[in-house]
Amino acid sequence: MTQQPDTRGTRCSVTQEHRLLFNRRMNDGRTQPVCAAYVIDGALDVTRLRAALETLVRRHDALRMYFPVGDDPLAMAVRPEHEASWPLEEVSLLDLPSGDERDHRAQTLLEAFCDQPFDLASGPLVAALLIEVSPRRRILGLTLEHLVCDGISQSLLFEELSGLMAEPGPPLPADQVRPAASYAAYSEKQRRALGPDSAPVRFWNSQFHEHGVYPPTLRPSDKLAPAPLTTGPSGHVEVELPGAFRARLKEITAATRTTPFMVYLALLTHGLRDGLLDESLGVVFMESGRRGTETRRLIGNFAFELCAWTRLEPEDGIHDVLGRVRDSVATSIGHALPLWWATRRYVSQEGARETFDPSRLDERFTTPWMYFSVSDPRANPLGLPDARVEPYPARVEIPYMRTPLLMATAVAGAESTTLSFDFAQGGYDPSALESVLASAASAAAELASSPSPSPSNR
């Protein structure tokens, strides 16, 4: 057994901080699990799967983290390898008579599993569910608390899990493939680097001086959001983008010096113009946060939220909007710093330290924000020997909106691309949001049918 680092007195990372404070402030018994699900057709060695999951937990200290409640609200700790586990629950549905009944029950179980909160104070912050639908078909669900895992970490973990399942013999000992650095050590280094005079801190202070920490004019109209601070059961609307747009997306991004993320965001921004009370739109999005070789294979939460302010003019066409989105997103990424961490340390022009607390709903959501992300179900492939593995086809619902955020998502699947909104029922008008998505789809058709000039720089 290798010697374990002493994590007593260690604080969570900058990228974990606001999530931890938010969960504690909400105190609603919920956390932020990140879930992936797969359909497995063929043989599965369940004993080996359990061993492989245990190897991953021993290998990566972030998967053994927990956040004890004590005098320091930002404290975190790491369990020794021999005390940690990745729990795997097995459920058989073979006693149900029909395939339809089994599929419905599996969907219900999976949704409940993906929404199950973790105990942040004691852990573990990982879980697995294996549902036997037929003798040669299973559904595997894997969840990790967002505090300890981001999207890239998910991809790395499933890549490692595939390798462990494919290797002959028992899984490799953790110390043979342990990363060169631990996430706990990275957290300490990260905090030391972000002093008040660092370039990212100075940049975001200037942005808050110009726009305000939460600009009061950046909010939707009453027609779009009659009760924008509502939380509760969620609603969902979506639209499929034209096939011609999908076929030309690579060409569009190359010609406009953009990324698919920027193009999807521009479509939504274009569609939202008529639903805003101001000519600007503030959008929160995630940035990978990984810098340097030490984080390339490290598991943990490096992703953090940035904000891009995009100013819109009445005469702007979709190419103009795309240019503005490109520039605002690139500027924010170029000065990457966790948004909520920066706002908690914002010092006004008069030298007064703001008391803004992003874990407070009444402060964080004085004006609603749109949160935007891009999802690709194919991004986290899982390979198993002697089995065919595909992403779970049904959408796992977001049952409850803990915040009033308007969550916008682009899902780039193998056969189609959709834009969608998730929102608290009663907060936003579904028909108005459907009109926004219809406008976005029309803008996508325009991009696909027109030449692809470089977007204007204004």
Side-chain angles (χ1 to χ4, degrees):
M1 183 69 65
T2 57
Q3 184 176 1
Q4 301 297 309
D6 186 355
T7 59
R8 289 174 297 179
T10 302
R11 307 190 98 194
C12 67
S13 70
V14 167
T15 49
Q16 290 174 322
E17 179 177 308
H18 87 271
R19 297 184 188 281
L20 180 59
L21 292 177
F22 176 73
N23 277 298
R24 287 183 171 163
R25 186 58 181 260
M26 289 291 288
N27 194 29
D28 59 358
R30 295 176 178 269
T31 60
Q32 295 171 295
V34 178
C35 186
Y38 300 91
V39 178
I40 302 170
D41 287 305
L44 176 64
D45 186 339
V46 179
T47 300
R48 185 171 187 82
L49 175 62
R50 287 185 181 276
L53 292 173
E54 295 299 312
T55 296
L56 291 177
V57 171
R58 296 196 304 269
R59 182 181 293 176
H60 299 289
D61 67 338
L63 304 184
R64 305 194 305 274
M65 282 185 174
Y66 61 103
F67 302 87
V69 178
D71 294 336
D72 184 355
L74 301 179
M76 70 88 169
V78 180
R79 292 205 181 280
E81 292 177 11
H82 66 278
E83 295 182 7
S85 66
W86 190 318
L88 171 62
E89 179 186 1
E90 293 185 70
V91 177
S92 175
L93 303 181
L94 298 184
D95 59 333
L96 295 179
S98 72
D100 288 345
E101 288 180 276
R102 294 175 190 176
D103 290 341
H104 177 75
R105 179 59 178 160
Q107 172 76 10
T108 301
L109 288 172
L110 191 60
E111 288 183 2
F113 170 74
C114 290
D115 194 46
Q116 182 66 31
F118 289 104
D119 183 350
L120 302 182
S122 60
L125 303 185
V126 292
L129 174 66
L130 189 62
I131 305 172
E132 186 180 21
V133 181
S134 72
R136 291 187 60 81
R137 167 168 283 205
R138 294 174 174 87
I139 297 172
L140 175 64
L142 300 167
T143 60
L144 304 96
E145 171 57 39
H146 205 353
L147 276 164
V148 301
C149 181
D150 58 19
I152 293 178
S153 293
Q154 264 194 315
S155 297
L156 293 173
L157 282 172
F158 298 153
E159 177 186 325
E160 291 185 25
L161 179 58
S162 300
L164 290 169
M165 292 296 293
E167 292 171 359
L172 286 174
D175 56 4
Q176 291 187 24
V177 283
R178 180 174 286 110
S182 75
Y183 185 78
Y186 163 81
S187 301
E188 290 293 296
K189 180 179 179 180
Q190 181 192 49
R191 283 188 173 275
R192 290 195 299 268
L194 289 175
D197 294 326
S198 63
V201 173
R202 292 199 307 271
F203 169 78
W204 285 105
N205 269 341
S206 70
Q207 290 290 292
F208 298 149
H209 289 334
E210 179 180 353
H211 297 283
V213 176
Y214 285 94
T217 56
L218 302 188
R219 64 183 189 272
S221 67
D222 293 341
K223 178 181 179 181
L224 187 65
L229 293 182
T230 299
T231 62
S234 66
H236 176 85
V237 294
E238 65 179 52
V239 67
E240 183 174 333
L241 296 182
F245 167 80
R246 283 172 47 84
R248 290 200 64 195
L249 181 58
K250 288 185 178 180
E251 180 185 344
I252 293 168
T253 56
T256 57
R257 306 188 311 279
T258 58
T259 65
F261 176 94
M262 295 174 182
V263 174
Y264 297 136
L265 178 54
L267 296 177
L268 289 170
T269 302
H270 186 272
L272 279 164
R273 287 189 306 174
D274 294 337
L276 303 176
L277 293 182
D278 190 71
E279 65 273 13
S280 294
L281 174 66
V283 176
V284 174
F285 62 95
M286 298 300 292
E287 207 274 329
S288 74
R290 292 175 184 260
R291 302 289 185 270
T293 57
E294 70 172 323
T295 63
R296 189 168 298 164
R297 301 289 305 181
L298 200 55
I299 301 301
N301 191 328
F302 300 86
F304 49 75
E305 293 164 321
L306 295 178
C307 182
W309 285 277
T310 301
R311 185 174 181 84
L312 303 172
E313 301 292 347
E315 68 275 12
D316 280 351
I318 182 56
H319 288 288
D320 301 303
V321 174
L322 180 55
R324 295 180 188 280
V325 167
R326 179 200 64 191
D327 294 344
S328 62
V329 169
T331 298
S332 292
I333 291 177
H335 300 84
L337 185 67
L339 178 66
W340 308 130
W341 186 90
T343 56
R344 293 184 71 239
R345 288 153 179 82
Y346 170 57
V347 179
S348 70
Q349 289 176 308
E350 292 74 28
R353 182 166 294 280
E354 298 290 324
T355 59
F356 176 85
D357 180 352
S359 67
R360 289 178 58 99
L361 275 180
D362 55 344
E363 293 184 2
R364 181 174 178 178
F365 301 105
T366 299
T367 59
W369 287 78
M370 185 176 79
Y371 176 86
F372 176 64
S373 63
V374 176
S375 172
D376 185 347
R378 303 161 296 174
N380 297 322
L382 179 63
L384 298 175
D386 305 318
R388 181 172 178 267
V389 184
E390 297 289 343
Y392 184 67
R395 178 178 179 269
V396 178
E397 301 288 337
I398 300 175
Y400 190 90
M401 297 295 291
R402 301 175 71 203
T403 72
L405 278 175
L406 175 62
M407 297 184 65
T409 307
V411 180
E415 303 296 332
S416 64
T417 297
T418 61
L419 294 179
S420 66
F421 289 122
D422 288 278
F423 51 94
Q425 294 180 19
Y428 284 79
D429 186 312
S431 62
L433 291 177
E434 288 174 346
S435 297
V436 170
L437 293 178
S439 177
S442 296
E446 181 181 344
L447 279 178
S449 62
S450 64
S452 300
S454 296
S456 59
N457 297 289
R458 297 185 181 180

